Amino acid sequence: MKKVLLSIAVLLAGTVAFSYDFTIKATPSVLLPFLSSGEQKYASAGYGTFLDADITLFDFLNLGPEFGFYVLPKNNAKGLEEGIDPNIMVVPVGLQAGVTFYPFSRLEVGAGIAGGAYGSFTNSRAHYAPWYRAFADVMFRINTKVSLGADVSWFNCQNNTWFGKPAISGITAGLALNYRFSTEKMSGMVDSEVEYDDSVFPLIYTIYKDNQIGTITVSNHESAEIRNVRVRFRAEGYTASELECGSIKMIRKNKSEELPLFADFNSQIQRFTESGKISGELVIDYELLGDERVSVVPVTIPVYNRNSMRWMDASIISSYVSTNSPEVLELSKYFVGVARSHFRTALNKNMQFAMYVHEGIRILGIECEGNSDTPYDETHLDPMALDYVQYPYQTLQYRSGDKDDIAILYMSMLESVGIGAAYIPLQDDFIVAIELGDYEASLMNLFNGEDNVLIVDDKVYVPLAISAINKDFVDCWNKGVQKVYEAIEAEEDVEFIILKDAWQTYPPSGFSSGEATTQIPTEKKLFQASENDIMKYVEQEFGPQIAAIQQQIKEEGVSTTLYNRLGMLYVRAGMYQNAVSVYEVSANMGSIPAMNNLGNILSLLKDYQKAKEWYEKVLEIDPNNATATKNLEKIITELEDK
């Protein structure tokens, strides 16, 4: 017996030297040996206790020695002679293994098995044999160290073997008292640290509400597990709210869990003209045994300067596009205002407005440079390279920029006046695509085929090469078409990014200097340059079609059909005087459609009297002509109002 006790003591001493958490559990209880086999030797109940000294492994597994002492009154104790011991003392010694769970903050549930050797003593007689038991307990946690509750077990003391007829077998039931302690000093707090994926980009500050900045490691240094852990982030002056980063149901003692770090930054973060850091706090709410607690941990967030980005996703460029900055709005509205005063109703509105924007940028003297510290041709091909990209107001101030800088200014002006834009970042160029409208016959009639336009998702776009920004609109357009087809033929990854779609992920930052520019081109100069663009466009797209009809007239002779087709081409090209001359020939040949078209064109040119005469001629020939009747009524109204 002494050897057994000595071995257990050595084991316990070695465990103490290296273990972390310990539990001492006492279970004073009543022993009901009603399952013992053989003749009835004992009274209906005895009493005693088990004492456990455990180490805790893996947060829930308890291992260690177990000792016990029970007194069992003999069944015939009252009839025994004086001097004969009326009781049998049972001393079990061994090892136990159990598990502990905490389904609720104050509730502790445990179960396990134990076994070893016992000695029974009475009348100076001793007997030694194996024993084993299975136990379960339910306790209330008074605090993080002490728990009190009830314990029940099945207890079996064998005779001479591990199995067979037991000498003592029955149920124990009673109290359970746990006391826990640790060899490591606890700080009594919850701590955290952050590992950052990258510095914060002020350009796309709005996305960090849904895209993590880094990873938060929450460490529990309290004296027990913590529950309902919630982590929020705030940075005074730089966040619009305390954004919850996530929650954790439970963190065991001395353990850590991870959460993503999110932040609800505001526009003040765009003050960073150089890379730097901002001070913030992680607010950790949690419960310890049902009591609510808060831990506030300071953190430092690294931030890039506001012009920085990486080309890991080309859609990020959309965040630079600013549609409401004063610098952009003043110029774009002026350019389009001039375009409206010289508007040609037969031509596409978006294309005309884009021509005026294009020429406005050219007249301002904005040049495309390739000598920046982070050249577009190199940087955008490396997704890990840190690029410096200008906001629209900076490009206006500097009067120069890289291809992507000028494209951003161009698209900002287009979108600010309601013209949809898209872009294609090619290997050696940057393409801005102007949305003209839905793909339909009336729009495609404005072009000599589909070769000079892009058709994406049933919408028609005109591509412009920013490398040719110093050239007129048509030359820039033709180079854009050339660059796109070359890239397709070279099997490059041609990514067509529609601004409105990209804004769903990367909203406009809206950053600007807040000051409008005072350098505005004169209306005369802007009109002349844009008018040249329109004439060049008409020559390029309508010239071949007009020439083909004229050649057909020469070969086949004069006919109302061919003259009407030629007149329609002139109308589509906005060449109204040419259309009038052609339609007059066809009308004099008796063509009613030509007469109606003459009335329409002359009405557009505000020559209402001549328009009235042509509608009246139609009705002389065809009194029921609905088109002439309707339009004549409008003309008469116009003449009466004068």
Side-chain angles (χ1 to χ4, degrees), residues 447-486:
F447 299 95
N448 186 28
E450 298 181 357
D451 291 342
N452 284 345
V453 295
L454 304 178
I455 301 170
V456 180
D457 295 335
D458 289 328
K459 290 188 179 297
V460 181
Y461 294 85
V462 168
L464 305 177
I466 297 302
S467 61
I469 192 66
N470 62 325
K471 298 182 179 296
D472 62 45
F473 183 89
V474 175
D475 285 346
C476 192
W477 169 17
N478 290 336
K479 187 170 183 180
V481 173
Q482 174 192 343
K483 286 288 187 179
V484 170
Y485 281 118
E486 286 177 353

Side-chain angles (χ1 to χ4, degrees), residues 69 75 102 119 150 182 184 221 335 360 413 486 527 529 540 568:
F69 179 81
N75 184 46
Y102 305 100
S182 177
E184 181 175 327
H221 299 302
F335 296 156
M413 289 188 171
E486 286 177 353
F527 166 70
Q540 173 178 292
M568 183 57 67

Side-chain angles (χ1 to χ4, degrees), residues 567 570 575-583:
Y570 282 130
M575 302 168 69
Y576 298 127
Q577 294 300 337
N578 298 63
V580 168
S581 299
V582 170
Y583 277 129

Side-chain angles (χ1 to χ4, degrees), residues 189-193 233 280-284 295-299:
M189 63 176 291
V190 173
D191 200 359
S192 65
E193 59 182 21
F233 173 77
E281 292 177 329
L282 292 175
V283 182
I284 307 171
S295 178
V296 179
V297 182
V299 293

Side-chain angles (χ1 to χ4, degrees), residues 1-2 4-5 8 31 47-51 66-72 87-95 115-122 125-133 155-158 168:
M1 186 65 179
K2 290 182 179 180
V4 173
L5 293 173
I8 293 174
L31 172 59
Y47 56 90
T49 186
F50 281 103
L51 183 66
E66 182 170 275
F67 309 90
F69 179 81
Y70 275 87
V71 176
L72 284 172
N87 301 312
I88 294 176
M89 290 177 290
V90 180
V91 182
V93 178
L95 298 174
Y118 78 95
S120 60
F121 307 95
T122 185
R125 291 164 52 193
H127 179 73
Y128 302 99
W131 69 274
Y132 44 87
R133 78 179 186 115
F155 182 36
N156 188 307
C157 294
Q158 287 292 308
I168 303 168

Side-chain angles (χ1 to χ4, degrees), residues 531-634:
E531 189 67 12
N532 288 336
D533 285 336
I534 291 174
M535 296 309 297
K536 195 169 182 179
Y537 152 68
V538 168
E539 181 181 353
Q540 173 178 292
E541 298 301 319
F542 291 94
Q545 299 179 64
I546 292 171
I549 295 296
Q550 289 174 335
Q551 181 63 32
Q552 192 174 358
I553 291 173
K554 288 182 180 179
E555 294 174 355
E556 299 178 8
V558 175
S559 71
T560 56
T561 301
L562 290 177
Y563 266 87
N564 285 345
R565 286 170 58 188
L566 181 59
M568 183 57 67
L569 280 174
Y570 282 130
V571 169
R572 290 171 181 166
M575 302 168 69
Y576 298 127
Q577 294 300 337
N578 298 63
V580 168
S581 299
V582 170
Y583 277 129
E584 283 179 344
V585 174
S586 182
N588 290 330
M589 295 172 64
S591 171
I592 291 178
M595 296 178 190
N596 270 326
N597 285 332
L598 276 170
N600 295 339
I601 297 171
L602 292 169
S603 297
L604 187 65
L605 297 175
K606 300 187 184 305
D607 191 345
Y608 299 120
Q609 187 58 47
K610 286 187 177 181
K612 177 175 176 291
E613 293 173 1
W614 281 111
Y615 289 134
E616 288 173 344
K617 286 184 179 181
V618 171
L619 293 175
E620 288 176 4
I621 301 172
D622 181 9
N624 297 319
N625 191 285
T627 300
T629 302
K630 180 180 177 181
N631 291 335
L632 181 59
E633 291 175 356
K634 291 181 180 179

Side-chain angles (χ1 to χ4, degrees), residues 140-310:
F140 176 78
R141 303 172 75 183
I142 298 173
N143 55 42
T144 59
K145 293 185 177 181
V146 180
S147 300
L148 179 64
D151 175 88
V152 64
S153 74
W154 173 73
F155 182 36
N156 188 307
C157 294
Q158 287 292 308
N159 193 355
N160 290 311
T161 62
W162 282 105
F163 301 100
K165 292 182 178 181
I168 303 168
S169 182
I171 300 293
T172 69
L175 298 176
L177 177 64
N178 266 5
Y179 177 77
R180 295 177 183 79
F181 64 95
S182 177
T183 57
E184 181 175 327
K185 186 177 180 180
M186 306 300 296
S187 64
M189 63 176 291
V190 173
D191 200 359
S192 65
E193 59 182 21
V194 180
E195 182 177 346
Y196 300 100
D197 300 332
D198 199 354
S199 296
V200 169
F201 289 92
L203 167 71
I204 51 177
Y205 70 90
T206 58
I207 76 165
Y208 294 108
K209 291 178 67 175
D210 303 303
N211 296 269
Q212 71 182 72
I213 304 167
T215 302
I216 306 168
T217 301
V218 183
S219 301
N220 177 17
H221 299 302
E222 290 280 11
S223 52
E225 84 284 355
I226 57 176
R227 299 172 184 268
N228 299 324
V229 182
R230 294 171 54 245
V231 181
R232 292 169 285 137
F233 173 77
R234 66 190 180 196
E236 186 175 358
Y238 294 103
T239 51
S241 67
E242 289 187 8
L243 183 66
E244 183 170 323
C245 300
S247 61
I248 304 168
K249 187 174 182 181
M250 183 176 71
I251 306 178
R252 293 186 176 273
K253 185 175 68 172
N254 294 321
K255 297 299 180 180
S256 300
E257 295 288 344
E258 293 183 349
L259 285 174
L261 173 60
F262 300 106
D264 183 16
F265 290 118
N266 59 32
S267 61
Q268 294 303 308
I269 199 171
Q270 291 184 316
R271 293 177 179 176
F272 280 79
T273 57
E274 301 293 337
S275 298
K277 296 180 179 180
I278 62 174
S279 297
E281 292 177 329
L282 292 175
V283 182
I284 307 171
D285 301 306
Y286 62 96
E287 295 177 6
L288 179 66
L289 296 188
D291 295 331
E292 295 183 356
R293 298 192 177 187
V294 179
S295 178
V296 179
V297 182
V299 293
T300 302
I301 308 292
V303 181
Y304 286 121
N305 70 71
R306 63 193 177 204
N307 290 92
S308 295
M309 66 157 282
R310 283 197 175 93

